[in-house]
Amino acid sequence: MSIKIGILGYGNLGRGVEKAVIANDDMELVGVFTRRDPASVKIDSGAKAYNVNDLSSMKDAIDVLVICGGSATDLPEMTPKYAADFNVIDSFDTHANIPVHFANVDKAAKAAGKIGIISCGWDPGMFSLNRLYAHSVLPGGKDYTFWGKGVSQGHSDAIRRIKGVLDARQYTVPVPEALDKVRNGENPELTTREKHTRVCYVVAEEGADKARIENEIVTMPNYFADYNTTVYFISMDEMKAEHSGLPHGGSVIYSGTTGGNTNADGSTSKVNKHVIEYSLNLDSNPEFTGSVLVAYARAAYRMNQAGDSGAKTVFDIAPALLSPLSGDDIRAHML
């Protein structure tokens, strides 16, 4: 029996989820739900587009609703709302607000007997798991997270809002010297500026004041002011040819020690350093994130079928629930 998936929102992430559902034989796409006029939305796979208001009449047709909205305003409202009727998944990534979001989804999902998995993706998500594993195995160590090289969609959008800018892409790039120190187990204290740089490619309107645009970028609070930022002005043709994709990635690196204990004879055992690293190199950030969401949709369905309910994060879900393979197959080929 196929797990019936609905997608709410059809931007880059929604399209990524669509591709992932099609790639999984145990799933079928019921439809895509949009706030736009469905007749104006062309679904790549040919699945049916519905207005978001149609969800209320399709509670029995969808096993898991994957919500592909933004973390700033969409998901805090949508995920608790739809957890009252569906098993839901989201990619909420405002780290500081996760506890409040979790509580709101938990209340709605428990009341409805549904599962709501929040903050899926790669950070939060896969990176979160690796931070937890590392801290659990080597308590007392230190973790570092580096993002990039990759396109930051939020930062790119911030540049596009500047007067005189037609288009922009911003790449987040780890500082190689900082990466080397962390990988060597030196446990450096790093400022924001010392960990990452930002590289911006900008298409300006003809006649626009490029010096003003560059100054507005590099001094922008909360986005660029705390980083070494480089701005390149390019043509629209160059932008389309060289910067049309959405690559991303990064690394979680953890450094810890074992040993250093006092032995029965009063001597001290040798201290051994250990470095754990998990990294991603993604051609398409939204397609990879969509694939993570779909794996967790499988887990949400299975958990709900077993009678579980309430909000969950990646920390609460057994890895075997993500896989379409049987327990026997997993143990035989992956253990």
Side-chain angles (χ1 to χ4, degrees):
M1 185 181 74
S2 294
I3 302 171
K4 297 176 177 60
I5 303 293
I7 298 172
L8 175 53
Y10 198 61
N12 290 323
L13 181 56
R15 289 181 172 87
V17 171
E18 177 188 24
K19 288 180 171 66
V21 172
I22 293 167
N24 283 275
D25 292 337
D26 63 337
M27 296 186 176
E28 68 175 276
L29 181 56
V30 173
V32 174
F33 298 83
T34 176
R35 288 175 288 195
R36 293 175 278 170
D37 176 4
S40 70
V41 180
K42 182 180 181 297
I43 308 300
D44 294 341
S45 65
K48 186 172 180 179
Y50 296 88
N51 185 272
V52 65
N53 294 324
D54 292 330
L55 276 168
S56 60
S57 64
M58 299 184 69
K59 298 175 185 178
D60 296 329
I62 295 170
D63 293 319
V64 186
L65 181 66
V66 185
I67 305 176
C68 301
S71 295
T73 58
D74 291 335
L75 298 180
E77 175 187 339
M78 292 172 127
T79 308
K81 174 181 177 179
Y82 291 107
D85 293 317
F86 302 95
N87 298 310
V88 294
I89 309 284
D90 77 20
S91 58
F92 185 78
D93 65 359
T94 307
H95 292 260
N97 294 339
I98 285 175
V100 170
H101 186 55
F102 181 93
N104 291 337
V105 175
D106 191 53
K107 181 179 179 180
K110 280 182 176 171
K114 300 294 185 180
I115 291 284
I117 304 179
I118 68 162
S119 301
C120 289
W122 56 276
D123 196 6
M126 309 303 288
F127 276 13
S128 311
L129 284 173
N130 283 276
R131 285 190 283 264
L132 179 61
Y133 286 141
H135 277 277
S136 302
V137 172
L138 295 173
K142 189 169 184 177
D143 70 72
Y144 299 82
T145 302
F146 291 90
W147 297 280
K149 180 181 178 182
V151 174
S152 170
Q153 296 180 74
H155 286 69
S156 299
D157 182 65
I159 299 172
R160 286 192 288 268
R161 293 173 186 270
I162 294 174
K163 182 181 178 181
V165 173
L166 293 175
D167 201 1
R169 295 291 185 280
Q170 187 269 306
Y171 293 85
T172 302
V173 184
V175 175
E177 294 79 8
L179 268 171
D180 289 343
K181 288 179 181 179
V182 172
R183 285 173 172 154
N184 289 335
E186 297 177 27
N187 284 358
E189 293 293 331
L190 298 170
T191 65
T192 296
R193 191 177 301 274
E194 291 170 329
K195 286 182 67 179
H196 296 92
T197 60
R198 297 195 181 277
V199 181
C200 311
Y201 294 89
V202 179
V203 180
E205 293 178 356
E206 186 174 354
D209 184 344
K210 293 180 180 178
R212 173 190 57 78
I213 292 171
E214 180 174 359
N215 184 65
E216 286 192 37
I217 293 171
V218 300
T219 60
M220 190 182 297
N222 303 318
Y223 284 88
F224 299 102
D226 294 332
Y227 298 85
N228 291 331
T229 301
T230 305
V231 179
Y232 297 101
F233 289 95
I234 62 175
S235 69
M236 187 63 81
D237 287 342
E238 288 176 292
M239 180 67 76
K240 291 177 180 177
E242 299 176 18
H243 304 284
S244 59
L246 292 170
H248 219 314
S251 301
V252 172
I253 306 171
Y254 184 88
S255 180
T257 61
T258 56
N261 312 100
T262 302
N263 300 320
D265 62 4
S267 63
T268 302
S269 63
K270 178 186 176 184
V271 174
N272 291 299
K273 292 195 297 184
H274 311 280
V275 177
I276 303 169
E277 181 169 351
Y278 175 80
S279 62
L280 296 172
N281 185 10
L282 313 174
D283 277 351
S284 171
N285 179 4
E287 288 186 16
F288 182 81
T289 301
S291 296
V292 177
L293 288 167
V294 166
Y296 278 91
R298 179 181 292 111
Y301 173 75
R302 289 174 170 175
M303 294 170 78
N304 192 240
Q305 288 293 106
D308 202 352
S309 65
K312 310 290 179 184
T313 72
V314 294
F315 298 139
D316 305 307
I317 296 165
L321 293 177
L322 305 176
S323 174
L325 300 176
S326 69
D328 286 342
D329 284 336
I330 294 172
R331 287 185 290 273
H333 301 292
M334 298 187 189
L335 191 59

